[in-house]
Amino acid sequence: MGGIYALMSIGLNLIFGVIKVVNFAHGEFLMLGMYIAYWAFTLYGLDPYVSLPLVAISILALGALTQGLIINPLLKTKEINQVLATIGLMIFLENLALFLWKSDFRSVLTAYSAASISIGEMRISFARLLAFAVAMGTALAFYALLTKTDVGRRIRAVAQDAEAAELMGIDHRRIYIATFGLGGALVGVAAAAMSPIYYAFPTVGALFGPTAFIVVVLGGLGSFIGAMIGGLIIGIVESIAGVLTNAELAKAFAFAIFLLVLFRKPTGLFGERARV
Amino acid sequence: MLSVKGLSVAYGEIQVVWDLNLEVGKGEKVAMVGPNGAGKTTTLKSIVGLIPPKSGRVEFLGEDITGKHAHDIVRKGITLVPEGRRLFPKMTVIENLELGAFTPEAKAKKGDTLEWIFQIFPVLKERRNQTAETLSGGEGQMLAIARGLMSRPKLLMLDEPSLGLAPKLVAQIFASFERLHEEGMTILLVEQFVAKALSFAERGYLLERGRIVKEGAGEELLRDEYIRKVYVGG
Ligand SMILES: Nc1ncnc2c1ncn2[C@@H]1O[C@H](COP(=O)(O)OP(=O)(O)OP(=O)(O)O)[C@@H](O)[C@H]1O
Ligand SMILES: [Mg+2]
């Protein structure tokens, strides 16, 4: 799960770092992505890794629309309105899912869902390994996009100084739309990679959204590396604690680590100020 | 080239610029001077579209650009080098410069422009792969000016470029303005450093509490009794 957490958190952190808005609907984006993967599998027999691009693009569109239609019009008002808007969106999406798909747990059972690889005494689930690899690959590709491409450079410019970026001819509102979209696409990839290993249900976002927040704060606001390492740490702590105790206690362990780090370093592991 | 007519600007309820008229002709070097809080920065930001004016009109090359977005106005050929430099701190010198060349024409000429800029500010070439936050104050200001030039502007507006610099560096950047002027650049310079700015400029405006209180040729303003007493100190 570490890779999945890392991807979600990188997306959340990106949106926060550039737009200065906390996306409370982040977990619900994941939930919708998981449903898209589920239906693509159930109705059309598409493996989640085949439907992955579709899921990523759908959530990208959802993110871009959220920014373009909801947040951008609120930019000139008090910041609290933008936060309230994402909370509203979170509640709306969760209820929409409840209405459309009831509260059933739905799972994607692929041929490899139960397969595992043994290394000595250890048995690692193949689906989890694959999810991890895809998540890490996506994170690296995203990092390259941010540092090596024109769009990435513009996004970083807006994150560092939106007004100065305007003076360079960059339309910061369009960059905001691209940013929210990219953050969404990362969640979409996470959702597809996660669907062979976890159930889709309307409140699954409420389970994983908060974890992403913990990771972002743990790693440091605005830090890409922080979100990545933070995701891995929380993922590893949860899985080790999960083996030793049980899943509920594992979440508590992750939270304990989070508090410990914050007591020692309030800005998070890699944080200074909100910068990408 | 630039013509500002009856410009009024307010932050919410508080008006800070009143009925301001200002002209800059092609190839001219013009200075706007005034004390802290007079409204100089506000005026420039309003011209480039960062703050929408309350009333009045801004024309550039005969076109009405009032109320247009800042990112569109850059494309028309006005560049503002903002007060306090406003570099992208985590990016290298080269990345900062490349961000300045945003328009298609500027992008096409990027190589030439870079060469030209490194001639004017050789130190930037040495520092090209350093992040902007590691530059000294003077180097940072040079980068801010250079970044502004990357868009190949027709009108270059500078907001207090000498702020916080040692006299030697001030002389150096003023020399670069002279050079740009000789190459045909139109310059609108905002300064608190009144004597320096007025001896540089062909024409000047004095702004106080949001209103233009004096205007005229640079030398003429330098000899003005009020300006000598209040701003030049003797
Ligand atoms: N964002 C803002 N909101 C409200 N008032 C502002 C804002 N920015 C500036 N002001 C006010 O507007 C007036 C003019 O400010 P401005 O920055 O334009 O002056 P200035 O001439 O550039 O001063 P300085 O020489 O210190 O840079 C000041 O009274 C200032 O307090
Ligand atoms: Mg100012």
Side-chain angles (χ1 to χ4, degrees):
Chain A
M1 296 303 274
I4 306 272
Y5 292 159
L7 266 196
M8 282 187 74
S9 310
I10 290 168
L12 187 65
N13 218 355
L14 172 79
I15 293 169
F16 179 77
V18 178
I19 312 171
K20 320 287 184 264
V21 168
V22 176
N23 178 25
F24 277 96
H26 214 64
E28 283 58 38
F29 281 21
L30 179 82
M31 178 269 293
L32 280 184
M34 289 180 75
Y35 270 107
I36 296 173
Y38 169 79
W39 288 115
F41 180 77
T42 308
L43 298 179
Y44 304 104
L46 292 179
D47 184 277
Y49 286 98
V50 176
S51 63
L52 183 144
L54 173 80
V55 179
I57 289 171
S58 307
I59 309 299
L60 183 148
L62 177 65
L65 287 175
T66 302
Q67 181 66 34
L69 300 180
I70 303 176
I71 317 275
N72 269 352
L74 294 173
L75 282 179
K76 291 233 164 78
T77 67
K78 290 205 183 72
E79 278 166 31
I80 183 77
N81 291 332
Q82 300 151 28
V83 175
L84 288 176
T86 70
I87 294 179
L89 185 66
M90 164 183 89
I91 296 169
F92 170 76
L93 292 177
E94 200 174 302
N95 282 292
L96 182 74
L98 261 172
F99 172 74
L100 289 176
W101 304 308
K102 310 291 178 296
S103 52
D104 303 343
F105 284 52
R106 299 167 194 264
S107 63
V108 174
L109 269 181
T110 59
Y112 52 84
S113 281
S116 62
I117 297 165
S118 309
I119 306 170
E121 286 290 285
M122 265 203 325
R123 277 164 54 91
I124 303 170
S125 141
F126 177 71
R128 281 176 186 261
L129 205 62
L130 194 58
F132 182 76
V134 167
M136 285 299 109
T138 307
L140 288 180
F142 176 71
Y143 187 71
L145 179 122
L146 218 48
T147 49
K148 299 276 186 299
T149 68
D150 249 16
V151 179
R153 212 168 282 148
R154 276 173 221 160
I155 290 176
R156 279 156 57 222
V158 170
Q160 291 174 27
D161 192 331
E163 201 173 76
E166 276 281 323
L167 289 175
M168 305 294 107
I170 298 170
D171 182 348
H172 74 285
R173 287 167 165 257
R174 276 176 56 187
I175 290 295
Y176 283 178
I177 291 175
T179 300
F180 217 115
L182 278 173
L186 292 175
V187 178
V189 172
M194 197 157 128
S195 50
I197 51 182
Y198 211 87
Y199 307 103
F201 51 96
T203 51
V204 68
L207 200 59
F208 291 102
T211 310
F213 289 103
I214 288 184
V215 169
V216 165
V217 178
L218 172 73
L221 279 178
S223 162
F224 177 92
I225 307 286
M228 182 115 166
I229 308 271
L232 297 182
I233 292 177
I234 295 288
I236 291 167
V237 168
E238 273 191 23
S239 62
I240 293 176
V243 170
L244 299 178
T245 60
N246 59 42
E248 282 72 42
L249 259 182
K251 285 253 178 232
F253 265 100
F255 197 69
I257 294 277
F258 162 73
L259 287 179
L260 245 142
V261 169
L262 283 200
F263 278 133
R264 311 248 12 150
K265 195 164 183 298
T267 51
L269 290 172
F270 295 87
E272 31 182 335
R273 261 171 283 133
R275 286 272 152 80
V276 169
Chain B
M1 186 172 233
L2 177 75
S3 158
V4 178
K5 288 171 190 147
L7 183 76
S8 293
V9 192
Y11 293 104
E13 298 287 289
I14 306 158
Q15 186 164 347
V16 297
V17 173
W18 307 78
D19 192 29
L20 180 140
N21 294 297
L22 181 138
E23 296 279 336
V24 182
K26 189 169 182 330
E28 233 186 344
K29 40 182 182 176
V30 176
M32 179 160 72
V33 295
N36 272 325
K40 306 180 296 292
T41 299
T42 305
T43 303
L44 293 185
K45 282 188 169 183
S46 194
I47 292 172
V48 296
L50 285 175
I51 307 171
K54 193 171 156 229
S55 61
R57 212 174 138 82
V58 182
E59 277 174 27
F60 183 62
L61 297 169
E63 184 186 349
D64 184 4
I65 57 165
T66 324
K68 281 207 168 23
H69 289 296
H71 58 262
D72 289 325
I73 290 179
V74 193
R75 283 157 218 251
K76 309 254 177 235
I78 305 182
T79 288
L80 171 63
V81 177
E83 184 175 33
R85 327 207 200 307
R86 306 290 291 269
L87 300 167
F88 302 114
K90 305 278 175 196
M91 296 200 209
T92 63
V93 168
I94 266 293
E95 281 182 306
N96 268 278
L97 289 173
E98 282 180 345
L99 278 162
F102 192 81
T103 62
E105 308 94 81
K107 249 192 203 138
K109 290 189 210 151
K110 200 160 76 182
D112 290 348
T113 313
L114 271 177
E115 219 165 276
W116 171 56
I117 279 168
F118 287 151
Q119 251 179 38
I120 305 177
F121 304 113
V123 65
L124 293 181
K125 192 168 186 177
E126 290 164 35
R127 303 267 183 271
R128 61 202 298 168
N129 294 318
Q130 249 172 265
T131 56
E133 65 189 347
T134 63
L135 297 181
S136 73
E139 291 161 355
Q141 187 59 59
M142 289 177 205
L143 178 56
I145 298 166
R147 186 182 61 174
L149 291 173
M150 286 300 289
S151 68
R152 289 287 182 152
K154 301 186 179 91
L155 168 63
L156 181 66
M157 306 204 298
L158 302 135
D159 195 352
E160 302 207 29
S162 70
L163 198 69
L165 298 188
K168 204 176 137 211
L169 283 165
V170 174
Q172 197 181 338
I173 63 161
F174 269 85
S176 71
F177 301 156
E178 284 296 355
R179 170 170 178 174
L180 289 168
H181 171 69
E182 277 157 28
E183 292 178 12
M185 183 70 75
T186 310
I187 297 175
L188 175 58
L189 171 72
V190 157
E191 268 294 341
Q192 273 193 57
F193 213 155
V194 175
K196 189 98 196 156
L198 289 179
S199 42
F200 163 76
E202 293 157 343
R203 276 186 324 107
Y205 295 86
L206 173 64
L207 193 68
E208 282 184 349
R209 270 164 283 133
R211 294 172 208 270
I212 299 232
V213 292
K214 289 205 184 274
E215 61 179 283
E219 296 160 21
E220 194 182 307
L221 290 180
L222 265 181
R223 284 195 304 268
D224 184 278
E225 200 166 324
Y226 174 75
I227 289 184
R228 287 174 68 103
K229 212 169 87 199
V230 180
Y231 295 102
V232 187

